[in-house]
Amino acid sequence: MEALWIGGEWRAARDGGLREIHCPADGSLVATVSEAGPDDTADAIAAAREAFDAGPWPATVEAERAALLGRVAELIERDAADYARAESLDTGKRLVESEYDMADIANCLRYYAGIGGTEAGRVVETGRADAISRIVHEPVGVCALITPWNYPLLQTAWKVAPCLLAGNTFVLKPSELTPSTAILLMKTLAEAGLPSGVANLVLGAGPVAGPPLSEDPRVDLVSFTGGVASGSAIASVAARTVKRVALELGGKNPNVVFADADFETAVDFALTAVFLHSGQVCSAGARLVVEESLHDQFVAELVERARAIRLGGPFDEAAQAGPLISAAHRDKVEAYVKQALADGAVLRCGGERPADPGLVDGFYYRPTILDRCTSAMACVHEESFGPVLTVETFTTEDEAVSIANDTDYGLAGGVFTGNAGRAQRVAGRMRHGTVWINDFHPYVPQAEWGGMKRSGNGRELGLQGLDEYRETKHIWHNIDPKPQYWFPR
Ligand code: NAD
């Protein structure tokens, strides 16, 4: 049993406990891991601090750091089958989705490998002959990287790649529910030649293993992806020691469909938007905002197709969606549906656990559509993070925008229309960090990812993602120093 990777060594926790990891699809035992207590996490921070202050990594030229990321991408591709299997066993997600994620992860690493070593800062005009002035980038220091369970390794790669490229050291704390691919990643980083102490891993529940990551003054940056409650608590503690904090939080993402949209396309994307990974996607289009004149036809088609979605475990090749991550999470989703129905929503399909005896040991929930919803309902403005689509209607473009923006979140959204001008007008007015037109969910590493409002303050991916992990420094050099005699001699 391996669990904590600290200073280049595997070790069991000193003050933590053990956790059994069970596959959410059938409850089978996947692994038993040793979880960190606060003292273990402090040890990991000390190792990362030592590696930053005295180790070779921060001073390694960027092109070499980039080359290492390229090697990591190759190794992950070599071991993709093991990685994908481990990810699916922890999350219950279909193997094909995990395989897709591994390809995305290699792509992300290659993106950062590709931009590394291409920029040497810039020289700025001083207006003087006796001085030169440079703007350079430097690593921030020790980074705490905290990740959720829905895309365990993808979310990790989005942080680890820019963090390492910029020359930082880190302590990674994945979700306590999905540790397996983080363990594999530590082995891959070591095989790729990352110096000891640069990457450190602690496992465990947030309130037990996590607090030193935001409290400890030796940590310079916290990059957190997860829920709003955890993120805002972490940010407020981290503020005491003025750490940099990047938050990638939840979303309640509207999918606005106008009557002039291509019907087949819009229905198809509306389904993927919400039911991909059983709705456990931060950018899930869980809030359908459809033009009233299209409503009946659109919802009827959605319901028919949602009813046909086949649920199953990671290795069931006929399955189209998997289980929820845990019993507690399914209870939460069920409570949202129950409350919405009590508040007047109309259940069009789902709203129950599947009766199939082959699925009773997993945390499955049928794809659910709640019609005639309003933004006052908790299920509409809060993140249920399950396979639950709420339906609202509009009659004018202004009303569509107003409904789409009627949320505390601002992560992502979609607009479907055949009118190019309207598409741009509506996308421009939607207060969400990413807006897809006639599409839902695609992202590319080159484009930054991040939310507005309570969806967070950080940007991941792209150059801005890299800048989260770099200090920008101005170096002024007087190249002809002479006494100035501000004060008379
Ligand atoms: P969560 O907030 O419960 O946990 C996220 C991580 O934070 C876990 O590793 C957890 O152990 C850790 N944590 C919690 N409290 C901590 C503390 N005090 N100190 C240190 N670590 C602590 O979220 P979750 O249930 O794992 O993930 C689901 C959430 O993540 C959803 O809200 C989803 O929208 C969000 N998410 C956002 C994005 C994005 O890009 N914006 C991507 C994926 C998931």
Side-chain angles (χ1 to χ4, degrees):
M1 179 184 51
E2 303 153 332
L4 312 184
W5 174 248
I6 297 178
E9 287 176 2
W10 290 106
R11 60 171 236 206
R14 284 197 291 144
D15 63 348
L18 294 179
R19 180 186 297 266
E20 290 187 344
I21 307 298
H22 294 268
C23 180
D26 58 10
S28 58
L29 181 66
V30 173
T32 303
V33 297
S34 173
E35 295 197 325
D39 290 346
D40 298 302
T41 303
D43 289 351
I45 293 169
R49 186 78 256 166
E50 170 75 14
F52 186 80
D53 292 341
W57 186 247
T60 300
V61 293
E62 195 174 282
E64 277 181 44
R65 299 197 297 248
L68 182 131
L69 292 180
R71 287 199 295 282
V72 175
E74 275 168 27
L75 292 172
I76 287 179
E77 281 172 342
R78 183 195 70 189
D79 299 338
D82 294 340
Y83 269 101
R85 188 178 160 75
E87 191 91 314
S88 277
L89 287 172
D90 277 7
T91 58
K93 93 169 54 165
R94 294 181 311 141
L95 186 64
V96 63
E97 289 182 40
S98 295
E99 287 167 351
Y100 186 85
D101 291 350
M102 296 312 135
D104 254 3
I105 287 160
N107 199 17
C108 170
L109 288 157
R110 286 227 169 78
Y111 166 76
Y112 283 107
I115 62 172
T118 56
E119 187 203 329
R122 67 200 158 93
V123 176
V124 291
E125 183 52 69
T126 61
R128 287 169 44 167
D130 64 348
I132 52 176
S133 195
R134 286 188 298 133
I135 306 293
V136 296
H137 294 298
E138 293 188 351
V140 175
V142 173
C143 303
L145 310 180
I146 305 172
T147 53
W149 48 260
N150 62 337
Y151 285 87
L153 196 64
L154 186 65
Q155 297 298 328
T156 300
W158 287 15
K159 298 183 190 307
V160 164
C163 175
L164 288 180
L165 181 62
N168 299 283
T169 63
F170 69 81
V171 178
L172 168 66
K173 199 209 78 60
S175 166
E176 59 276 25
L177 302 176
T178 53
S180 299
T181 47
I183 294 172
L184 291 177
L185 180 66
M186 294 302 114
K187 296 178 182 178
T188 298
L189 290 171
E191 185 181 345
L194 190 69
S196 294
V198 175
N200 301 274
L201 173 69
V202 292
L203 306 180
V208 181
L213 298 173
S214 46
E215 288 165 2
D216 195 312
R218 295 171 295 180
V219 174
D220 301 293
L221 175 153
V222 182
S223 178
F224 171 87
T225 300
V228 175
S230 318
S232 66
I234 284 169
S236 65
V237 174
R240 290 185 211 141
T241 43
V242 199
K243 299 185 195 319
R244 276 192 180 205
V245 179
L247 301 174
E248 296 291 340
L249 306 178
K252 192 70 204 191
N253 313 290
N255 183 15
V256 179
V257 179
F258 285 88
D260 62 6
D262 180 80
F263 185 79
E264 282 298 313
T265 308
V267 169
D268 193 60
F269 277 98
L271 282 164
T272 318
V274 62
F275 296 130
L276 179 73
H277 195 13
S278 293
Q280 302 170 115
V281 183
C282 56
S283 54
R287 192 177 179 199
L288 176 67
V289 184
V290 60
E291 192 161 354
E292 180 65 51
S293 61
L294 182 67
H295 169 274
D296 292 358
Q297 186 196 358
F298 199 81
V299 173
E301 181 73 9
L302 273 182
V303 167
E304 197 179 320
R305 289 189 54 183
R307 281 200 179 117
I309 291 175
R310 192 191 139 116
L311 301 179
F315 310 109
D316 174 353
E317 288 181 5
Q320 295 159 323
L324 299 181
I325 188 71
S326 65
H329 185 50
R330 181 171 62 179
D331 289 349
K332 183 181 124 180
V333 172
E334 281 179 328
Y336 271 115
V337 172
K338 197 170 161 204
Q339 185 60 50
L341 295 177
D343 292 342
V346 177
L347 181 68
R348 298 295 304 273
C349 64
E352 60 184 4
R353 302 174 184 194
D356 182 341
L359 301 178
V360 289
D361 292 332
F363 308 123
Y364 292 92
Y365 194 68
R366 294 253 11 124
T368 298
I369 298 181
L370 297 172
D371 202 1
R372 297 298 172 197
C373 293
T374 67
S375 51
M377 295 175 183
C379 197
V380 174
H381 62 256
E382 293 177 16
E383 191 184 36
S384 72
F385 220 53
V388 180
L389 180 69
T390 63
V391 183
E392 297 160 89
T393 59
F394 65 90
T395 51
T396 66
E397 189 175 308
D398 279 348
E399 195 189 0
V401 171
S402 153
I403 293 173
N405 288 339
D406 187 10
T407 164
D408 289 336
Y409 290 109
L411 189 60
V415 51
F416 285 80
T417 172
N419 178 325
R422 169 183 282 153
Q424 289 296 331
R425 280 197 304 276
V426 172
R429 292 172 68 194
M430 284 171 67
R431 298 280 298 153
H432 298 271
T434 295
V435 179
W436 295 290
I437 295 172
N438 294 333
D439 210 328
F440 216 99
H441 281 318
Y443 78 92
V444 286
Q446 289 78 354
E448 284 90 21
W449 175 259
M452 297 183 183
K453 302 199 277 184
R454 284 189 210 168
S455 289
N457 66 356
R459 302 299 289 180
E460 294 195 306
L461 302 174
L463 276 179
Q464 265 188 283
L466 180 58
D467 284 341
E468 295 277 8
Y469 293 92
R470 303 194 293 199
E471 302 282 11
T472 299
K473 185 197 236 174
H474 174 204
I475 299 176
W476 170 278
H477 184 174
N478 184 338
I479 56 174
D480 188 16
K482 296 186 186 71
Q484 295 297 306
Y485 304 121
W486 288 97
F487 303 104
R489 287 202 286 175

